[in-house]
Amino acid sequence: MFCGGAVLVLDNFRRLTGYGCPGFRSMNLRRQDKGQRDCAAAFVESVRAGGPAPIAFEELMEVSRVTIDLADKLRGETEE
């Protein structure tokens, strides 16, 4: 991630390294956590409680649209 002249690098969800971050160099994570367990639990809880989905439908559609647009552009560049 790039922000305010600083860079954070997350390597395989296990090691976080910071460059240009005063007071922070690196952090080793005990286990790999990509968030799937929490995501699935939030979905199941929303279904059980009858509440809203953890991720709004509009956001899911936007991510899908951007991904498809990007794939189309990349295919156009590689087909030439």
Side-chain angles (χ1 to χ4, degrees), residues 9-17 25-29:
V9 178
L10 182 59
D11 182 19
N12 201 23
F13 293 87
R14 290 187 174 239
R15 180 171 176 81
L16 181 64
T17 307
R25 288 184 80 83
S26 67
M27 176 187 299
N28 288 317
L29 307 172

Side-chain angles (χ1 to χ4, degrees), residues 21-49:
C21 304
F24 180 79
R25 288 184 80 83
S26 67
M27 176 187 299
N28 288 317
L29 307 172
R30 292 181 183 196
R31 62 183 179 92
Q32 197 175 45
D33 183 1
K34 296 181 182 180
Q36 290 107 329
R37 181 174 293 147
D38 290 340
C39 183
F43 173 76
V44 169
E45 182 56 31
S46 72
V47 170
R48 281 186 184 149

